[in-house]
Every structure is written in structure tokens, then in C-alpha cells.
Amino acid sequence: MAEAPSAPSTAQPPPQNGAYILRKLVSNLPLSADGQSTDVRITCVEVWDNNLYVGTSAAEVLHFVLLPPQSGDPSEEPTAIIASRLEPTYNQPSDAGVQQILLLPQVNKACIRCNNYLSFYTLPELSPDSNAKPFSSSWIGGLDLNAEHGSDGAVVMVGQKSKTRMVKITEDGAPRALKTIEYGGCVVSVRRDVFSCAADSHSYALLDVEHQQKIGLFPISSLDPDAGDVGGAAQDITATLQPPSRSVSSAGAHPRGSKEEARGHSRSTSLNVFGTAGPGSRTESPRAPPQRYGFDVPESMSRTMSPAPPSSPGRSPSRGLPERTSSLPRSGATSPDKPLPPPPPTVEAPRVEEAPEAHPAFVPLKPLVASPTPNDFLLTVGTTPSDPGVGMFVNLDGDMSRGSISFASYPDALVVDGSGIDMSMSMGPDMNAEEGYVLAVVHSKKDGKLTYGVEIQRWDVDAAESEASKEWLDLRSFGISESKDQVTTPLGMRTVVNAVDLTLPEIGAKLMVKRLPSLSAASPEPNTAKVVQEKGDIEFTKRLSKLQSKIVLWADDQIWWVVRSPLVIRLDARLEEAQSTPSGDIGRIQPNRRLLETILGDIRGQEARNESEYLSLIYIRQKASVLLFMDLILRTQTNIIVFENEKRITEQALVDGEIDPRIILSILPILNEEVVQGPEGIQISGGITTLVEQFLEQNTLSTISADIKGPFGDNLLHVVKKYLYFWKRQKGMASVTNDPYVFQSVDAALLRLLLLQDQGNPKGPATTGSIRSELNEFVDNEVECLDRAVALLEQFKRLYLLSRFYQRNSKATEKAANVLGTWRRMLEGEADEGGEFMDGEHEVRKYLTRIRDQSLVEEYGSWLANRNARLGVQVFADDRSRVKFDPTHAVVVLREKAPGAVKEYLEYLVFELKHTQYVNELIAFYLDAVITELENVPSSRETLLQTYETYRILTSPKPTYRQFITDNALDAEWWRARLRLLQLLGSNQPATSSYDVTSILNRLQPFEQELVPEMIILNGRQGRHPEALRLLTHGLGDYDTAISYCLYGGSSIFRPSGSGYVPQSALPTQTEQSRLFNYLLQEFLRLDDLAQRMEQTGVLLERFGGWFDIADVLAILPDEWSVDVFSGFLIQALRRLVREKSESGIVKALSDAQNSQMSAELVEKSEGLGPTFERVS
């Protein structure tokens, strides 16, 4: 029984990022029967159906039965129990031992070649086959790689000294020879359908086993003196009476000529010598044409080679190796019709004695053949075992099909794996594309000691890319390694008959979803559904962990599987290398950003070809993004500001990986408090769970400075914020998790992050693009973490944001009360750090008009009226409000809860809502206020009189009197009442002008000297325009208002600025305006100040000359005045007269033209109708 390895079975192999990894099959095999011999080595291995067959150099075949591991873990090494120790038959002992074990499961037979003697046995117990006798053989193999194995037998090629036989082996009968091929000494053969690439001890040849033809290819070693001239035309190799040649080059019978002629006999690759054009071309062997030897072809289609050895052993792999050229005509070929040029003059050339070149000693090389595709064979050629070897690809026509590849030394063993990827063809997502690799056991000599390794390279890419992607198999698992990829013990490698299922627990450990225990609370009681889910996850992971291999590698007494490394193992090994810096502690997480970015770049755009690769790429992207973010945290911890491009790369990696944002938050100080998890905790891939736990154990997050103005904010918060926004936008998508705890964590962390970033910013409204505008937008949208959001906003004292949050996220029945309650807290003095509630009272008023709860409107409307009567009363009087109040009821409410707002309520009804029924009441209120002031306070009367005096002495241009008293208003209630009174009295709107003029005039009569504007308005209302204009010009000196009086007919003379457009219907006719302007002209001519008199008269005539008759004006103007005073008026008048005369002439001319046109039309119609005859009786 094979013993278990000394190391524990649970020990994990070292990380390997190569294309292939090793998994132990068996170790400590009892190669020697007595257990004493140490020079017994493994020569060949075969595995089939839990049976292991090991051939040794002691000419024994050890049969082991492979039992499942005792622990039940399929990933552990199986238990190998020896079933038998067979000594195959042979006639002459040698050191070769067991050379081949060929299993034929389809017929339950095994062919074992030991010391060049072939024996047959039955499977699986290796009992001798009574139907077959042993015989000498140099090789057995050549199974058709294209054939689908059936139960009707297996056809193999058996090499012998003088010929090769095609033998059919069946389960019950004796081996039967089907065909004999004249190709002796065959030591290797790989067959595709009827084409076989074979080799003897000197060279390679391509055989058509069906039609008995051969094409010589290359010598195995360019130093082989017995290789002869390899190549030429296809040769017939059917059985003949001639003795077989020891060289492939002489296998065909043809007359020999001179050496030059023999070298010129090359073959054509385009003559279809293997009959691929149809069956008819293979009915008979081609015969030599006249003047040709053997199966030669024309020179224009020949292919030559140069078997000459190189000049030194240290040449490059491509020098001195067989060279195959294209079918080109030789430069020396001449036309028989063209005369030869004259010979050159004879010149005696000095003879130089050349020293013979020193060539390396010839060492026979083992031919190696593999077939990577149904149309290609791979052959190895070289010079010496230690010199680099070359792999050459030949197609079924014997032509070079792709670029050659090189090996570090001539290979000891060669295996091809994978169907290859054709870059010239488009690969669909459902195509099982697989990279093509060549694995070669090579050796090197260092310090006098041979070391062995397995060189891996691609065969399905161009030569440059293949050379660049070369790698070595990690051999540290053997325990006898000289270095990572070299051992001192010879290695053997081959493919077994059938692929074997293997389990890699590392895949499950990395990809299986696990709970993050470091952040989880007490685990809840498991329920049945959860147990079923966990079982399903385990089964799913087991399925992902299964893969196949059919390549075995052995050394000493160990046999290992060579397994195509899964994508997740290969890339995760690279991540583990990038997890720490070369100079740092290996166990401590210190990510190497350059390596991580390289890994992400390598897989960018890579499409998954199956489910395992899909999950693997997700896992790698997520883990790499976490490592990049950990790098930011560690550099932040040392107060380093990270470059912007590095932050962008990290952010993009997080977005591409789409890792649960709670993982990122959990490794951040402050924001880790916002992680919310449900009963199942945070579920993430096992590899990332281990990484996060290790990072949290190694680092204390509380030691990181959380200053948002420093590296913490610059390096981390900006990246995290963009990633959280990315997740917030993903909500609701079909491909995104529906776990509510994820989005609760996202919203809570995002809100806290924005609040942190907005701390310390100036108070006031948000500006476009600012953090505060982001905050407003955030709370104005749906937020998952309701309670946590309220707590955070209260904690940061952001009451205005809290009110906006309530508006969007509260229940409908609680929304208005929450919003108004928060606003009242701010207006009553509670701190709001944002300072955005700038015009809070107006916001309250507008909000009250939009809600439907009458009790809330009454409560907060009265509260607002007590604070700001003018705004408060609008709540009760606004007709657009959803809750409407009857004015009577509103007055009752205000008198009860806000008495000081009653007057404001009446003003709002009259001025804003145009309720005319309250005008007289409001005017009476204003009159009472003003008259009471004037009666009781003499200084107020003096103040009014002083304003008139001050206004009159102002020089032009000067504002209107209404503007003057508004700009110089006193901060007194009676003054404001007077301005309101003037507005009511002077307005021409029906809503405010329907007051009793006579009663008001009677009340104002005692104060007509102090209340001049009021008297002017009332005189205008009564049609006493001359009196009104007299008061305006002589009492106030407000000449602009006097002009307005004439234009507007006495209405709206004290209109506030910006009061709007006066409709044409409200204006007097031009005749009425002209009459008023004549009154005003007479008042201007009566002004006491001559300068004022002349200036105002000139301005009036120049601006409004169209309203005056020139004769009337000239009649009343003083004769002593200069014409310059009213020159503008005269010019305009004369121009008007000229214009009127010209216009009348144009009208006359147009009338004449119209008359002529009508006459012409009358004539035309009369002529068209013709004359009319009327008989007169």
C-alpha cells in the first residue's frame, strides 16, 4: 500500500499562478519488490477506472487500486492499495524495463512493452491474454485520435525491426494484422485517420497507412551522420522483395544518381500525393516520368532542405536545424531555348586552407510526436540533448502549418493539451474555446548537476507571443525541488487514456458564499429554508470545484496530476502575490498597486466561457477592488495624499466588481457604524471574507484621522461617495440584489458622508454643484433608512434638511405636522447648522396654503400672524389656499389668537384680494390714524408742512412728491397709514376707488394746508381740475405729477412706481387732455419764479406741443420772451403743418389714382360685355 505523505493532508499547496498546477495522485510507492533497491525508477504510468498501472525500470508493472480518501474529502489524496506486481514477458533483459503501457478500455485489453517485447493482458487485473503471444516490438500505439472508440476493436500500429504493422485487437479474439507497411524501426507514431506521423531512430516521416505512401520530413538531430537526405517526393512503401533500409531516406526504391542529383530530387506538396482529391487518385502508385527518378516532381514545385550541422554548439535554436523552403524555382534553372551566356575569363583564385569546423559529438535524440489538432502534428528536432530544441508543426500534406516553437533543451517528454483558440475566427459565447498548451520536460546543467523542469508555452498563438508567455510548472509540491520550478530527479510525463475527475477545494473556499463573522451579531436560530439553502450552496460549490485532467507527472516514487489551473486559482494566486509588497511582511496586507492594476488590465473585457469563469471573474474583480481600496486606507493612515488617477482606478475597479458596499464601509472608520445587516449577516465570497477579517485584525480603524479636510476626505470619502451613488442608481435593477439591508446601509452611509463633507461650509442656501445641493437632492428623494436618517440629521443639527426629509419620506398623515414642527423649532431659535432657512416665515405661509388640514392651518397661521402679521393674515385671506376661510370667521380667529393682525388682514383683503366692501372701513381706519396724529401732535403738522417746503426748493430733475415722501418716510404708524391712504385715494381701480369722496373731503377740510396731496386727489375726483392743478404747481411744486394729472385725467396721480400699465379706456380723450394741458400752461405762466416759469413752460410746450394750438399759445405767451424758450414747440408745430400738408397731397394723389383705376376697370368690363341694342318702339 502506498503510504500517506509525511505532511498533513490539510496543508494547502503554495500559491501557483501558472497555467497548470500539481495535485498529488500517490506518493511513497513501493517500486522495489524487496523494498531495498533504490535505483528502481518509474518508466511509465497509466490510470483508468480507479486503477493505477506503474511500469518500472525493474521490468515490473505495479497495479494499484485507488480507493476514496478515508476522510471522505474528494480533494485529498486517494488511498492506493497494491493489487498485483506483474513481471511482463521479455526475451532479453536490459535497463529499459517497462517501456510502454497501452490501455485499450474499449476491448478491455492492455498492451505492455517491456525490454522491446510486447505482451497482451486483460483489464483491469492484468491477466495474460491467452489469445495473443508476445513478440518483439519497437513501438506500439498509433491509435486513431479522430476515431470514436467503439466495441468492435481497436486498431494500433506495431513497430518492428523491418516493418510496421496495422493490428486490430478485439476483446475475444487474437490480435490480427490488417496491413504491413514497409517502414522499419518505428519508435513513435501518432495517427489521425489514415495519416500517421512516425519516426525511426533518425528522422520523421508522414505516412498514409491506407495507400501505403510516405513523405520524409526532418532528421531528429541535425548532427546525425546516418540521417541521410530526408525529404523528397512521396514514396510507395507497400511490401516489396527488397530488404528494408536502415534509413528512412532509402525506404523507397529508386535509382541512385550523383549526389547533386539526389539532393535535387525533392517532392511537391501540391500534387496531392496522399490522394486528398478523391479516391481515384490513390488507385495506383505514381510512376516516374521520363528523365526523373523515383517520385520526383518538377523543380518549380520542389522543396529543399539543408541538413548541414551548425558551426558551433552554442548557436540559437533555429540555426542548424532542418529547414523547409517553399515551392520556388531554383535560381539555377534555365530555359532550354535560351543560349547560355559566355563563360567568364579564367582567373586563378588563391587557395586558402580552411580548418575543419569542430562539431559537437552526436548523441541520439528521442523522437517526440504530438497532435494538437486534427490537421497538425508537432515534431521535435534539435542537435544535442542540452542544446535548445525546436518544435515544428506539420500538416497532413507534410507542409509547415504554423511557426515553430523552441524549448530550453531538447525535451525528455512532450504533451499537448487543449484544442487551441483560432484568433482568425469569431468565438461565440457558447463555443468551448480552450487555450492550446505544449508541456515539455526539459533539463539543464548547473554547477555540474542536472536539474529538470516542465516548460509550458502556447502553441495556438504566433511565435513571438508564445515566447513571451512561456512559463515553468511550479514543482515545489514535490518536496524535492531545487528551486521553484526545478528538481534534481528526472521527470516523466504523459497523457493517460481517459480524463479523470478531480476536486480542488481551493475553488470552493474562494467562491463559496460565507458570512462575514467579524461584523455579524449573534447568529439567529437556523431555520429549515436556510439549511436547505446552505446545502444547495455546498452542492453548487462542489460542482464548481470539479475539473478533469489526463496528464500525469512523476519523479522518484511520486505521481502527480498536472491540472489545467482554473481561472480563479490562477488569478487569485497573482492577487496573493500583489497582497504584500516585496520588501514588507509577507503575512501583512500591504497591497502592491502596480500588480493589482496589471491584473485588472489583463482581465478587462475578458468574456467568461462558462459558469465557473463567470463567477471567477466576478470574484477576482471584487477582491482586487477591495485590495486597491485597502491600499488607499493604508496610505491615508500615513497621511499620504493619493494621486487622482489612482483614486479613479480604484473607483472604476469597485464599480466593475460591484462588491457589496457594506464590505467597503466595514473597513472604514466612522462609516462602518452605518453598516446594517439582517439575520443572515453579510454574505460574500470566502476568499474576500478571509481578506477582510485579516485586514481588520492587522489594522485599528480608530487610529485613522477622520479629518475630512485631510487625506481621509481626499483619499477615501470621494471614492466611497461615488461608489455609493453607483449602488443607489442600481436599485431596482433585475441584476442587483434585493436585500433591503444593503440599500439601508448605502443611504445611511451616503447621508453621513455628505453631512461630514458639508460641515464647516458657510451657512446659507445651496449653490449649484455644491455639497449642500447634493444633500438637498439626497433628502428630497426616497431614502431607505428612515429612522437612521432622522437621527443623523438631528445629530448634525440640520433641521432644515430634516424638514425636507420629512416632506419626502414621512407618512402622508404625519408629513405636514413634522415639517411645520421642524420649521417652528428653527424660527423660535433652535440652531440649524446649515442656515438654509433664510426666509422661513414666507416658507411657512406658502406651505400652509398647500396643505388640507384646517386645524394645522389655523394653528400655524395664527402663530405666524403673531410673528409677522402681514404674512400671517395671507394664510387666512388667500383664495388659492386649499383651506379657505370666510372673512368673518378669519377675523374672529385673528381677534382671538392674533389681535395685532386684524388691520393687516383688512389691508390684504382690499389691496391684494380687491374686496371693495372693506375699502371705506379701511380708509376710515387710516383717516382716524392720520387725523388723530395731526390733532394731538403739532410737531407732526410741522413735519408735513416742512416736507412741502423742502420739496419745493428741490431743483429739477426731482422725484415726484409721492416718491419723495416714500423715500423719506418716517418710522411711524401714522406715516405708513397716510401712505396707504394716498394709495387708496389715488387709485383708479374700481376695487379701491369706490369710496365716499364728499364725506372724506369734509373730514380733511380742517387740514387742507397739511394734507395737500389728499386735497388734490379729492378735487380731481370732483372734476375741479383747475384747483387740483393749482395745488400741484403752487402748493407742492410737483410739476411731473401735474403733467401726469393732465395725461391721466386726474386719476392715479399718486400711483406707486411700478404699478403697471394704464389701459387706454381709462385715459381721457385727447380733447380733454388738451384742455387740461391748457390749464397747466396757464398755471406755469403764473409761477412766481421767472426761471421756473420759463423752464417749465418751455419743457411743457416742447414735450406736449401736439396738444396745443399754435395760435392760442402765441397769443398768451409774453411778448418779451425770447423765441428760444419755445423754439422747440414752434419747430414741431411747423413740421406738423408741413407733414399734414404733404399727407393731404399724398391722399389726393392716391385718390386720383384710385379713381383712374376704377374708370379703367369700368371700361374693360363694358368692352367685355359688348354693346346692348334696345328696340325703341
Side-chain angles (χ1 to χ4, degrees):
M1 179 184 298
E3 299 178 3
S6 57
S9 61
T10 57
Q12 294 295 328
Q16 301 180 39
N17 58 11
Y20 288 84
I21 57 177
L22 293 176
R23 283 297 176 267
K24 184 176 290 186
L25 176 56
V26 290
S27 60
N28 299 329
L29 293 175
L31 301 181
S32 174
D34 56 6
Q36 302 297 325
S37 300
T38 58
D39 57 347
V40 179
R41 68 185 188 280
I42 299 175
T43 57
C44 55
V45 175
E46 188 59 86
V47 181
W48 172 72
D49 195 22
N50 291 326
N51 293 276
L52 170 64
Y53 304 97
V54 180
T56 69
S57 59
E60 292 181 332
V61 175
L62 309 182
H63 174 205
F64 296 91
V65 176
L66 301 177
L67 300 179
Q70 296 178 357
S71 63
D73 186 353
S75 64
E76 293 187 4
E77 176 184 349
T79 302
I81 300 177
I82 188 166
S84 64
R85 185 181 292 269
L86 174 68
E87 295 184 1
T89 305
Y90 58 89
N91 55 2
Q92 292 183 355
S94 70
D95 295 335
V98 178
Q99 297 160 298
Q100 282 182 271
I101 300 176
L102 176 64
L103 301 185
L104 304 173
Q106 64 270 36
V107 294
N108 290 323
K109 295 290 180 67
C111 307
I112 299 178
R113 189 169 67 91
C114 178
N115 292 331
N116 293 320
Y117 214 68
L118 182 61
S119 305
F120 298 87
Y121 300 87
T122 60
L123 292 178
E125 69 279 357
L126 295 184
S127 299
D129 185 4
S130 59
N131 296 321
K133 295 181 179 180
F135 58 87
S136 297
S137 172
S138 61
W139 173 260
I140 182 169
L143 285 167
D144 185 5
L145 300 182
N146 291 348
E148 296 182 359
H149 300 301
S151 59
D152 57 344
V155 178
V156 299
M157 297 178 68
V158 179
Q160 294 182 301
K161 183 176 181 180
S162 60
K163 56 180 64 68
T164 300
R165 299 181 187 274
M166 301 292 292
V167 178
K168 184 173 183 179
I169 301 175
T170 60
E171 184 171 1
D172 299 326
R176 181 168 56 92
L178 301 178
K179 190 171 295 186
T180 300
I181 304 170
E182 287 295 330
Y183 184 76
C186 177
V187 293
V188 67
S189 173
V190 175
R191 183 160 62 98
R192 292 282 188 181
D193 198 10
V194 299
F195 300 102
S196 173
C197 186
D200 57 14
S201 58
H202 300 285
S203 62
Y204 296 100
L206 188 63
L207 309 178
D208 183 344
V209 299
E210 178 71 21
H211 300 89
Q212 303 282 311
Q213 291 183 324
K214 181 193 79 171
I215 295 178
L217 297 177
F218 314 109
I220 301 168
S221 171
S222 59
L223 302 180
D224 188 353
D226 296 327
D229 295 337
V230 180
Q235 301 173 12
D236 187 2
I237 54 175
T238 55
T240 64
L241 298 178
Q242 297 172 345
S245 170
R246 74 183 287 232
S247 171
V248 176
S249 61
S250 61
H254 59 272
R256 291 184 177 272
S258 65
K259 185 175 181 179
E260 290 75 11
E261 291 172 339
R263 290 185 179 273
H265 293 173
S266 60
R267 62 179 178 84
S268 170
T269 63
S270 58
L271 289 181
N272 199 16
V273 294
F274 279 173
T276 54
S281 62
R282 297 187 178 182
T283 55
E284 63 179 23
S285 301
R287 290 174 294 181
Q291 298 181 357
R292 291 190 189 173
Y293 300 99
F295 296 97
D296 204 354
V297 294
E299 285 291 335
S300 62
M301 306 184 71
S302 65
R303 180 164 46 185
T304 63
M305 61 169 292
S306 177
S311 60
S312 65
R315 66 195 177 285
S316 65
S318 61
R319 294 182 54 194
L321 298 177
E323 178 184 355
R324 299 179 65 94
T325 62
S326 59
S327 300
L328 296 174
R330 292 190 299 179
S331 60
T334 60
S335 170
D337 300 329
K338 183 178 180 180
L340 296 174
T346 304
V347 178
E348 283 291 332
R351 295 185 179 180
V352 179
E353 295 293 334
E354 294 184 359
E357 294 183 359
H359 299 298
F362 168 66
V363 178
L365 302 179
K366 177 183 177 181
L368 300 172
V369 182
S371 180
T373 71
N375 300 312
D376 292 297
F377 297 103
L378 172 62
L379 323 174
T380 58
V381 296
T383 53
T384 66
S386 58
D387 282 345
V390 174
M392 309 183 76
F393 293 89
V394 176
N395 62 18
L396 300 182
D397 290 330
D399 294 329
M400 295 285 290
S401 58
R402 61 179 71 237
S404 60
I405 59 177
S406 63
F407 305 100
S409 73
Y410 189 84
D412 299 329
L414 185 75
V415 166
V416 294
D417 183 41
S419 59
I421 299 177
D422 190 351
M423 298 300 180
S424 63
M425 298 178 61
S426 60
M427 303 297 294
D430 55 342
M431 296 182 67
N432 188 19
E434 186 180 35
E435 298 88 348
Y437 284 96
V438 177
L439 291 81
V441 175
V442 295
H443 56 269
S444 62
K445 195 169 186 179
K446 184 177 182 182
D447 298 331
K449 183 169 56 175
L450 277 175
T451 59
Y452 302 85
V454 179
E455 187 180 37
I456 304 171
Q457 58 185 306
R458 294 280 296 275
W459 61 260
D460 55 346
V461 295
D462 57 60
E465 187 175 349
S466 175
E467 188 70 26
S469 63
K470 276 186 179 181
E471 57 182 277
W472 293 85
L473 182 63
D474 192 333
L475 301 177
R476 288 176 289 179
S477 301
F478 271 99
I480 56 174
S481 58
E482 179 75 11
S483 62
K484 175 183 176 182
D485 47 36
Q486 297 290 320
V487 295
T488 56
T489 304
L491 297 172
M493 181 174 62
R494 65 160 297 170
T495 57
V496 297
V497 61
N498 288 330
V500 176
D501 291 332
L502 300 174
T503 299
L504 267 66
E506 299 96 317
I507 299 177
K510 298 176 189 302
L511 297 183
M512 184 175 180
V513 175
K514 296 181 181 179
R515 180 172 181 163
L516 194 61
S518 58
L519 298 178
S520 61
S523 299
E525 291 295 327
N527 52 58
T528 304
K530 183 177 179 182
V531 171
V532 172
Q533 177 65 30
E534 289 179 352
K535 288 182 178 179
D537 291 343
I538 293 174
E539 291 299 323
F540 177 71
T541 305
K542 285 183 178 180
R543 180 164 58 84
L544 291 179
S545 301
K546 288 183 180 180
L547 62 161
Q548 292 185 327
S549 176
K550 59 186 307 183
I551 305 174
V552 291
L553 180 72
W554 62 86
D556 284 343
D557 57 359
Q558 304 180 50
I559 304 176
W560 294 70
W561 289 111
V562 180
V563 184
R564 177 76 71 99
S565 180
L567 183 66
V568 64
I569 299 294
R570 190 164 67 248
L571 294 178
D572 195 57
R574 294 177 63 185
L575 289 182
E576 290 185 14
E577 291 180 359
Q579 192 167 312
S580 59
T581 57
S583 59
D585 183 2
I586 297 179
R588 187 168 186 83
I589 297 177
Q590 293 178 324
N592 188 323
R593 174 171 286 273
R594 182 182 60 82
L595 294 180
L596 292 171
E597 292 175 359
T598 301
I599 295 170
L600 289 175
D602 291 343
I603 64 175
R604 181 172 295 114
Q606 181 173 343
E607 296 293 336
R609 294 172 293 191
N610 50 52
E611 183 182 30
S612 178
E613 285 196 3
Y614 174 76
L615 296 175
S616 300
L617 289 173
I618 292 176
Y619 166 77
I620 294 300
R621 290 189 177 105
Q622 290 183 348
K623 185 173 181 180
S625 65
V626 172
L627 284 169
L628 287 173
F629 191 74
M630 287 177 176
D631 174 64
L632 294 185
I633 294 176
L634 294 176
R635 294 164 76 179
T636 300
Q637 198 169 18
T638 56
N639 292 323
I640 296 176
I641 299 295
V642 181
F643 291 115
E644 287 298 324
N645 67 316
E646 295 179 342
K647 290 188 286 187
R648 285 196 298 269
I649 291 172
T650 303
E651 175 196 336
Q652 188 60 45
L654 290 171
V655 170
D656 292 342
E658 296 187 12
I659 191 171
D660 189 330
R662 294 177 294 178
I663 302 298
I664 301 301
L665 297 176
S666 66
I667 57 178
L668 270 180
I670 300 178
L671 295 184
N672 59 356
E673 300 173 5
E674 307 307 326
V675 174
V676 183
Q677 52 185 314
E680 297 181 358
I682 299 176
Q683 303 286 332
I684 197 67
S685 301
I688 301 177
T689 300
T690 304
L691 177 67
V692 172
E693 290 176 350
Q694 185 180 354
F695 182 79
L696 293 176
E697 289 175 1
Q698 295 176 0
N699 299 275
T700 305
L701 299 182
S702 58
T703 61
I704 300 177
S705 174
D707 182 12
I708 61 171
K709 302 298 182 182
F712 177 73
D714 192 74
N715 295 346
L716 301 177
L717 293 190
H718 290 289
V719 174
V720 173
K721 182 171 74 172
K722 292 181 180 179
Y723 186 55
L724 293 176
Y725 271 125
F726 165 76
W727 264 89
K728 191 172 179 64
R729 291 192 297 270
Q730 296 287 97
K731 182 185 176 184
M733 294 187 178
S735 59
V736 179
T737 177
N738 57 359
D739 186 354
Y741 301 105
V742 172
F743 294 99
Q744 288 179 22
S745 302
V746 168
D747 285 350
L750 193 52
L751 177 58
R752 186 162 187 176
L753 190 153
L754 291 171
L755 289 171
L756 287 171
Q757 288 185 326
D758 195 46
Q759 272 186 331
N761 288 339
K763 293 185 176 183
T767 57
T768 304
S770 64
I771 297 295
R772 191 156 295 172
S773 66
E774 287 187 51
L775 261 173
N776 290 340
E777 184 179 358
F778 180 84
V779 298
D780 286 346
N781 289 282
E782 184 178 356
V783 177
E784 295 293 328
C785 54
L786 301 180
D787 295 337
R788 182 57 183 165
V790 172
L792 284 172
L793 293 171
E794 292 281 6
Q795 175 185 339
F796 282 82
K797 298 181 179 180
R798 302 301 295 269
L799 296 182
Y800 179 68
L801 287 176
L802 179 60
S803 67
R804 297 182 69 147
F805 174 79
Y806 281 141
Q807 177 63 29
R808 180 61 179 84
N809 294 277
S810 290
K811 295 180 181 178
T813 56
E814 302 174 357
K815 180 186 301 183
N818 289 336
V819 172
L820 291 170
T822 307
W823 284 353
R824 180 157 64 179
R825 289 168 57 189
M826 288 185 286
L827 291 174
E828 290 179 350
E830 193 167 340
D832 175 44
E833 296 296 334
E836 297 176 83
F837 204 48
M838 303 295 292
D839 197 5
E841 293 176 347
H842 283 273
E843 291 295 327
V844 172
R845 183 198 67 79
K846 289 189 291 185
Y847 190 80
L848 289 173
T849 62
R850 296 197 297 265
I851 64 176
R852 299 180 182 275
D853 191 330
Q854 183 168 351
S855 61
L856 282 177
V857 174
E858 285 189 11
E859 177 186 354
Y860 284 94
S862 302
W863 170 80
L864 181 61
N866 278 318
R867 289 181 55 85
N868 187 327
R870 185 171 179 275
L871 284 176
V873 298
Q874 295 178 21
V875 175
F876 297 92
D878 194 347
D879 289 336
R880 295 169 298 178
S881 176
R882 294 188 176 183
V883 178
K884 295 179 172 58
F885 291 90
D886 180 74
T888 305
H889 177 65
V891 171
V892 172
V893 173
L894 289 174
R895 284 176 178 169
E896 178 185 352
K897 299 181 179 181
V902 175
K903 177 181 71 70
E904 294 291 341
Y905 180 64
L906 294 174
E907 288 179 344
Y908 189 77
L909 291 175
V910 172
F911 291 108
E912 300 296 334
L913 303 183
K914 316 302 181 187
H915 289 298
T916 58
Q917 62 269 32
Y918 299 102
V919 170
N920 287 320
E921 182 180 353
L922 190 57
I923 289 177
F925 180 87
Y926 291 147
L927 282 175
D928 291 341
V930 174
I931 292 175
T932 302
E933 179 70 18
L934 296 179
E935 288 178 344
N936 299 329
V937 184
S939 61
S940 298
R941 300 176 65 180
E942 294 295 330
T943 300
L944 286 177
L945 295 174
Q946 185 64 37
T947 59
Y948 304 144
E949 186 66 27
T950 302
Y951 183 77
R952 280 194 294 268
I953 65 176
L954 293 177
T955 59
S956 299
K958 61 182 179 179
T960 63
Y961 180 74
R962 169 60 188 266
Q963 188 64 39
F964 175 74
I965 61 175
T966 302
D967 294 341
N968 298 276
L970 300 179
D971 187 15
E973 184 62 31
W974 71 272
W975 190 277
R976 288 189 289 271
R978 187 193 179 213
L979 292 178
R980 283 289 195 178
L981 178 62
L982 288 174
Q983 183 179 350
L984 282 176
L985 295 177
S987 174
N988 65 338
Q989 299 297 326
T992 57
S993 59
S994 57
Y995 51 84
D996 189 350
V997 176
T998 304
S999 62
I1000 297 173
L1001 189 60
N1002 292 333
R1003 294 195 63 184
L1004 293 179
Q1005 196 67 38
F1007 304 99
E1008 60 178 350
Q1009 297 298 323
E1010 291 81 6
L1011 301 175
V1012 175
E1014 288 82 352
M1015 298 301 294
I1016 294 172
I1017 294 172
L1018 295 175
N1019 284 326
R1021 293 287 183 183
Q1022 292 182 318
R1024 299 165 61 184
H1025 302 302
E1027 180 63 20
L1029 290 172
R1030 182 187 66 78
L1031 291 175
L1032 279 171
T1033 55
H1034 299 283
L1036 287 181
D1038 189 355
Y1039 308 121
D1040 289 338
T1041 303
I1043 292 174
S1044 298
Y1045 187 97
C1046 297
L1047 288 174
Y1048 296 118
S1051 63
S1052 303
I1053 59 172
F1054 288 107
R1055 299 167 63 245
S1057 60
S1059 55
Y1061 169 76
V1062 177
Q1064 185 69 29
S1065 59
L1067 296 177
T1069 62
Q1070 186 170 2
T1071 303
E1072 180 65 20
Q1073 289 175 340
S1074 178
R1075 184 171 65 85
L1076 294 177
F1077 274 121
N1078 280 291
Y1079 290 151
L1080 181 59
L1081 177 61
Q1082 294 175 8
E1083 295 299 330
F1084 280 170
L1085 292 175
R1086 296 190 186 102
L1087 290 174
D1088 296 335
D1089 188 344
L1090 179 61
Q1092 284 285 346
R1093 186 190 317 158
M1094 298 178 66
E1095 178 185 357
Q1096 297 302 327
T1097 301
V1099 169
L1100 178 64
L1101 292 174
E1102 184 174 357
R1103 290 178 60 190
F1104 302 98
W1107 278 264
F1108 294 96
D1109 183 84
I1110 186 171
D1112 294 341
V1113 171
L1114 292 177
I1116 63 175
L1117 287 178
D1119 296 336
E1120 63 272 14
W1121 282 15
S1122 171
V1123 176
D1124 293 337
V1125 175
F1126 48 91
S1127 60
F1129 167 72
L1130 294 175
I1131 293 171
Q1132 289 181 7
L1134 294 175
R1135 284 177 177 173
R1136 186 169 61 254
L1137 291 175
V1138 171
R1139 183 173 63 251
E1140 290 175 353
K1141 181 179 179 181
S1142 300
E1143 289 175 352
S1144 63
I1146 292 172
V1147 170
K1148 181 178 179 182
L1150 291 174
S1151 299
D1152 291 343
Q1154 187 177 14
N1155 187 30
S1156 300
Q1157 183 180 4
M1158 295 300 296
S1159 300
E1161 291 178 358
L1162 178 62
V1163 170
E1164 289 177 359
K1165 289 184 178 181
S1166 299
E1167 292 177 351
L1169 294 174
T1172 302
F1173 298 93
E1174 183 177 350
R1175 184 180 298 274
V1176 180
S1177 59

